[in-house]
Structures are given as structure tokens and as C-alpha cells.
Amino acid sequence: MERLDVIVLGAGAAGLFAGIEAARRGRRVVVIDHARVAGEKIRISGGGRCNFTNLQIAPERFLSNNTRFALSALKRFTQWDFIARIDAAGIGWHEKTLGQLFCDGSAKQVVDMLTGDLARAGGALWLGVTLGDVTPEAGAGGDTEGSARFRVDTSRGPVLASSVVVATGGKSIPKMGATSYGYRVAEAFGLPLVETRPALVPLTFAEQELGWMQPLAGVAVEGRVSHGRTGFDEAMLFTHRGLSGPAVLQISSYWREGEAITLDLSRGRNLPEALRQARTAAPKTALRTALAGLVPEKLARHVEAVLGIEAQMGALSNTVLDRVASMLTGWRLMPVGSEGYRTAEVTLGGVDTDALDARTMEARRVPGLYFVGEVVDVTGWLGGYNFQWAWSSGWAAGQAA
Ligand code: FDA
């Protein structure tokens, strides 16, 4: 039977990082994944360029039942620490927008850096291996630092180790190999879970709204999408099923069924004033033409149709212009759902952080059992935050496992 110090379950961002760090400490490490290649989500991320971190990492940009939990790991292994690794590997990068850092070339460079670092540190990588149960092992011995505490059944036979790091990610994109395995391991050891749901996901609408949204499919518009006090100033995109685009993906993490979201398309402009000026400048133009200077033309036509205004600007009173402005600044929409795990970038919820040590990611009641990355109830904003959580939490576990 194979005996090691650390078994890492999942060769994604968090698992590879935890494996590298533990192996660099001289621990005998194996990272196991059922996929045929490691780091598949890294490879497809950021449109193939991997948005690997964000310059503006801050705890309030992560959702969790305990918003303070992520702080320790994020402070101990920061975005600057990860950038240093990327620089050391000679990978070129650039800031795209809002502090989001992308590879100049291919995301595969990041996967190669990680698998290379793991191999150089002496860690093993088993791919295409099916995982079975993780069970406590009473006094099996043979480990460099005390006895093996766990047995992990795999399609390559059972493996014993004193530490197990669960890094099997969330439920998003089952087609790419996502499973609920990590949650089941947590449950088997009596750890509480926070309810999971798809996040960073396009929102869908009922037929009534789709009637006017579908003709707009493909139209992108800049603005603010908000839910309660939370709002994001980024692009949104009409789709055949509803709304997508960065601002909508961001708000999907906060939205719940039965609640509305609000679009503000003013982009900080004083719309009542802008419409009055447009009326003075060109009183003979149609409202849709005047609006087309403020929002995409197809949307301008829709606004005109909804409000039933088919007059020249010169004929519109201030009250009517104010109605137009308030529609564009406080447009309440009622999503009926989301596209679900099929397209969600991440999974909200997961292993309850109350059950974990924030410094090491170790389960408080199960010494030697660690949870890192997306399987934990920590979910970042869109824009490199989720990878930074994977690096930081993986690093923290790698120092202790
Ligand atoms: P991850 O999902 O990466 O890895 C889990 C691993 O466990 C996988 O290799 C999987 O095969 C394996 N596994 C699962 N179940 C198993 C089982 N039963 N047996 C064996 N192995 C099993 N984030 C970001 O910060 N910037 C970005 O640009 C993007 N872009 C992006 C694009 C798309 C399309 C998606 C879906 C997601 C993103 N993300 C992102 C989110 C980011 O990919 C995600 O947060 C991290 O990959 C999470 O890292 P983990 O290592 O926790 O899980």
C-alpha cells in the first residue's frame, strides 16, 4: 500500500498550489485528479488568457457566511506573491481593466508553471484516477511525521497519509469534471456545509421579458446593475435567455429568486439634463434618435415602444423626458432564474468556514484534513478574485499539511 505524507484531492488551481507548497517543505506529496489533464479551468479561464489575480484584492470582494475568514490567507499569500511567481516563470502579463491581470500569451503557461513547480519540488501527479472514500486510519504508521491518519481509496489502490487536502472545487461546469466529491468528504467527517448555488452566472427571464430582450441579443450596454446596496459598473449583455456580461455575472452572486435587479444606464450622466439639451439642439428628431446617443440604438427603440412615445423631441414636455430618464436610471427587472451550474463560473457556499482554521484551512475537529479553493464557502467577485483565493488558501494549507 502506498504511504505518503500528503494526499491532495483535485489538481486544479488550489490543489496544485497546496501540493507545490507542501512538497517544497519536503513532504511526500501526491496530487490526484480524475481528469486526464491538470488545471483545466485555468486553461480555459479568462478567454484562454487566465485572469490569474486582481490588484485590488480585499476581503469585502469575497462572499462567505463569514466575510472575515478569507483575510488571513489572502494576507499571508497576496496577489503580489503570486505575481512574483508569474514573473519568476517569465510569463508576460498585463492589466486589462479594474485591476484584472491576464497573461499576455496563453493560460496554459500558468498550468505549465504549476505542474512544473510541483514536479521540481518532488510532488507526484496522478491523472485519470478515480477517487473513492476518504476514511480515518487508526495508527497505520509509516509516515515521516507520525502515523497515517487517513486512507484514500483510488482506482490505483489505497493510499495512506497523515494529511489530506480536499481541493476538488465546486459544482460549476459538470462537463469539465466538476463533482460534489469535496462536499461529500466534508459530510462524511461531520463538517457543516453552507447551501450551494451557481454564481457568476447569466440570469434568465420569463417569456414576457424575453419578448423584448431576445431581439436585443448580442447588444452590450455599459451601466450599473444593482441589487439592494450592491452594484457593479460594468458592461451587461442581452442574450437569447436574458442578461449576461460582467455586471450581471457579478450581481448574480447576490441576487435571489423572487427579487429584482435594477439597471442604471446613465453612467453618471445627468439624463434629464442631457435629454433637455438634446431637445433644444434638435427639436425635430425622434426620441429614439436622441436616445441613440445615450444607449444602443436597438435599446432606444425598445424604450420608445415601452413608453409609447412616438413624437419629435420638441413636442415632449419635461415631465415626459423625466419619465424617459427615470426608466433608464431605475429600470427594475425580475429575473426568474439563472443558467445554473452549466455555465456558472463558480459555486457559492460550500464547506462552512466555521469548521475550518482560517490560518491553515484545517478542519478544526479533524486534524490533518484540509479544504482549499472553491469547495470552501468563499466566493470571489469576477476578475481574478477566485484564482487568488485558490492560490492563497492552497498556499496556507501547503504550509501546514
Ligand atoms: P477547480 O475546479 O479548478 O479544480 C478542481 C479539480 O478537482 C478539477 O481538476 C477536477 O477535475 C477535480 N475533481 C473534481 N471532482 C473530482 C473527483 N470526484 N475525483 C477526482 N478529481 C475531481 N477565476 C478567476 O479568478 N479568473 C478567471 O479568469 C476565471 N475564469 C473562469 C472561466 C470559467 C469558464 C470558469 C468555469 C471559471 C473561471 N474562474 C475564474 C473560476 C476559477 O476557475 C475557479 O474559482 C478555480 O478554478 C477554483 O479552483 P479549485 O482548485 O478550487 O477548483
Side-chain angles (χ1 to χ4, degrees):
M1 193 169 337
E2 193 109 24
R3 288 161 193 268
L4 292 157
D5 299 324
V6 183
I7 305 170
V8 181
L9 309 179
L16 288 170
F17 221 67
I20 292 164
E21 292 306 308
R24 284 182 175 175
R25 286 171 43 237
R27 303 283 276 160
R28 291 173 302 163
V29 174
V30 64
V31 181
I32 309 177
D33 204 297
H34 62 175
R36 301 240 152 250
V37 265
E40 270 299 83
K41 279 197 184 161
I42 302 173
R43 191 182 56 79
I44 61 146
S45 68
R49 290 189 191 270
C50 186
N51 178 193
F52 55 81
T53 192
N54 194 295
L55 295 175
Q56 295 160 17
I57 296 292
E60 58 276 12
R61 295 178 174 207
F62 293 82
L63 292 86
S64 170
N65 269 4
N66 175 1
T67 48
R68 307 293 298 164
F69 179 82
L71 187 62
S72 167
L74 292 171
K75 268 188 151 176
R76 292 176 70 213
F77 189 84
T78 68
Q79 63 272 44
W80 309 110
D81 294 319
F82 192 74
I83 294 166
R85 300 270 175 117
I86 289 279
D87 285 341
I91 300 173
W93 55 270
H94 60 277
E95 181 184 349
K96 198 168 172 190
T97 174
L98 302 170
Q100 301 167 4
L101 304 191
F102 287 76
C103 297
D104 290 344
S106 157
K108 195 166 170 301
Q109 293 175 286
V110 178
V111 182
D112 292 344
M113 173 186 90
L114 296 171
T115 52
D117 282 352
L118 179 67
R120 281 185 287 276
L125 180 59
W126 294 359
L127 296 171
V129 172
T130 307
L131 292 171
D133 288 343
V134 179
T135 43
E137 181 76 9
D143 184 65
T144 49
E145 287 180 24
S147 58
R149 289 184 285 209
F150 302 97
R151 169 192 167 120
V152 178
D153 288 319
T154 81
S155 54
R156 269 176 69 158
V159 192
L160 299 180
S162 62
S163 298
V164 168
V165 180
V166 181
T168 44
K171 298 180 184 173
S172 44
I173 323 224
K175 255 190 176 172
M176 292 189 65
T179 70
S180 297
Y181 181 86
Y183 308 120
R184 290 201 299 273
V185 173
E187 276 176 330
F189 281 90
L191 304 186
L193 296 178
V194 173
E195 196 187 342
T196 52
R197 57 181 282 127
L200 299 182
V201 62
L203 296 175
T204 56
F205 288 83
E207 248 170 59
Q208 197 187 346
E209 258 120 358
L210 284 183
W212 66 264
M213 284 183 176
Q214 277 174 340
L216 294 171
V219 170
V221 49
E222 290 285 333
R224 182 176 182 79
V225 182
S226 44
H227 172 269
R229 288 189 186 170
T230 311
F232 294 92
D233 296 289
E234 278 178 81
M236 58 198 103
L237 178 73
F238 289 92
T239 72
H240 287 286
R241 305 188 64 193
L243 284 174
S244 185
V248 173
L249 298 184
Q250 296 277 35
I251 215 67
S252 73
S253 301
Y254 294 85
W255 174 82
R256 294 293 178 273
E257 284 74 8
E259 298 174 351
I261 58 169
T262 306
L263 314 189
D264 174 357
L265 306 180
S266 66
R267 287 192 282 152
R269 295 166 300 193
N270 180 340
L271 283 192
E273 189 50 38
L275 288 170
R276 282 167 176 68
Q277 280 173 10
R279 180 178 58 189
T280 310
K284 291 201 169 145
T285 56
L287 172 64
R288 65 172 172 276
T289 314
L291 279 180
L294 301 168
V295 294
E297 197 202 333
K298 276 190 181 172
L299 193 59
R301 282 177 184 276
H302 171 67
V303 170
E304 192 185 62
V306 169
L307 295 173
I309 305 167
E310 280 203 24
Q312 293 181 342
M313 286 297 280
L316 301 180
S317 65
N318 284 350
T319 314
V320 171
L321 291 186
D322 289 348
R323 256 177 61 214
V324 175
S326 68
M327 176 170 176
L328 291 174
T329 49
W331 198 337
R332 268 171 65 84
L333 290 171
M334 204 66 163
V336 289
S338 80
E339 289 189 6
Y341 291 117
R342 189 179 59 83
T343 61
E345 278 201 13
V346 285
T347 305
L348 268 183
V351 178
D352 193 332
T353 56
D354 282 351
L356 305 178
D357 181 324
R359 204 175 151 76
T360 60
M361 307 294 137
E362 188 176 27
R364 291 181 193 281
R365 283 190 293 141
V366 190
L369 183 62
Y370 300 77
F371 290 84
V372 296
E374 200 178 316
V375 72
V376 179
D377 172 34
V378 172
T379 307
W381 282 7
L382 186 80
Y385 295 91
N386 285 297
F387 278 138
Q388 186 59 45
W389 169 244
W391 318 132
S392 297
S393 59
W395 184 91
Q399 308 310 308

